Amino acid sequence: MSAREAAAAARAAGGSAARGHLFALFTVVVWGTTFVATKVLLVDFAPIEILFYRFLIGFLVLWACRPRHVKLGGWREEALVAAAGLTGVVLYFLFENIALTYTTASNVGMIVAVNPFFTALLSSLLLRDEKLHPVFFAGFALAMAGIVLISWEGLGTGGVVGDALAVAAAAVWAFYAVLTRKLALLCDDTIQMTKRTFAWGLVLMVPALFLLDFQFGLERFADPLMSANMLFLGVGASAACFATWGIAVKLLGAVKTSAYIYLVPVITVAASVLVLGEPLTPQIGVGVVLTCAGLVLSERGKGAPPAEAAACAEGGATAACGQAAAGTGAPGCEEAAPDRR
């Protein structure tokens, strides 16, 4: 390769990395501000109504991208997708939305950010493919101390109920994360499987629509603020960010992209203070620092699954590592003729 060709290749690689960082930053900014958007919507919408409209919009966007029907192996595989819809769509976001009616967006954003702890614990117990070192548990203890500080002012008030629901949401997400690891073996098309998961989530939330007094109330969408925030959640956070995160993983690799996750709780707190005027006391500030430090420390105490570690050792931050982190990369899903039902 000539010097000119080498320079051109270096510029192309640099441009790809820059795009990857932009996609990753865009994704975490959107994810970090979803709690603020939900808090705004709670003025006119009930938690179950936000949940339904958000994922209906997200499903329609994904269906437009992948209108074809996906064939799975049988009822066991379909049951896995349904379980993912129940945990990752219905229960997680219902707990999160209800939590926001009791406590601040910054509290909820910080608390649910610890879901990697619960995911690692559940993955280690059920899948036995991830070794947890003492450093992981030290990070977990540090983050829990941070959450106690964040929630301390809510003790004795309704705020502690919201914080407890946020912890429950983080724990439920762990089950969804483990399920998506299994779903990755069924289909390598993330959009297809996400669309199917959203569809099951919408079906399984129907009982909650009746129990929690769901109202269509379409006239509320006449308010531009309400429409903008609902579209932000449905199109931006629930549909587009799946694509932008996947692109970032392909361009940067799993390790560099995953580091951006640590910005999500920081962005949530900053947006909550700036947009909603929520308080940022010294005690909450210390809690934020402890929680983020615990997250970083715990990541250093997790061992990669054997197959993934070997692949990453051979190729560094290659596509194989990126697919492993993104929950994709296994064949087995075929697109059938368009579903005309």
Side-chain angles (χ1 to χ4, degrees), residues 139-182:
F140 183 83
L142 192 63
M144 288 298 107
I147 286 176
V148 169
L149 280 178
I150 292 170
S151 305
W152 190 260
E153 292 180 3
L155 293 177
T157 68
V160 73
V161 175
D163 294 340
L165 285 169
V167 172
V172 166
W173 185 263
F175 287 92
Y176 170 74
V178 170
L179 286 167
T180 55
R181 295 273 294 276
K182 292 186 174 292

Side-chain angles (χ1 to χ4, degrees), residues 182-232:
K182 292 186 174 292
L183 292 178
L185 302 176
L186 304 180
C187 178
D188 62 354
D189 189 329
T190 305
I191 294 178
Q192 280 283 19
M193 292 308 293
T194 304
K195 181 188 74 173
R196 203 178 191 96
T197 302
F198 281 15
W200 270 111
L202 288 166
V203 170
L204 293 173
M205 75 173 67
V206 169
L209 300 182
F210 292 98
L211 292 173
L212 299 177
D213 192 29
F214 173 87
Q215 301 291 329
F216 281 102
L218 298 179
E219 68 279 357
R220 290 172 291 184
F221 288 100
D223 184 339
L225 181 62
M226 296 297 121
S227 295
N229 279 279
M230 193 69 78
L231 287 172
F232 173 76

Side-chain angles (χ1 to χ4, degrees), residues 52-75:
F52 174 77
Y53 284 121
R54 171 180 180 170
F55 282 95
L56 178 62
I57 294 170
F59 170 77
L60 292 174
V61 171
L62 293 175
W63 179 82
C65 296
R66 292 289 192 278
R68 292 176 179 268
H69 182 59
V70 177
K71 285 184 177 178
L72 296 179
W75 69 268

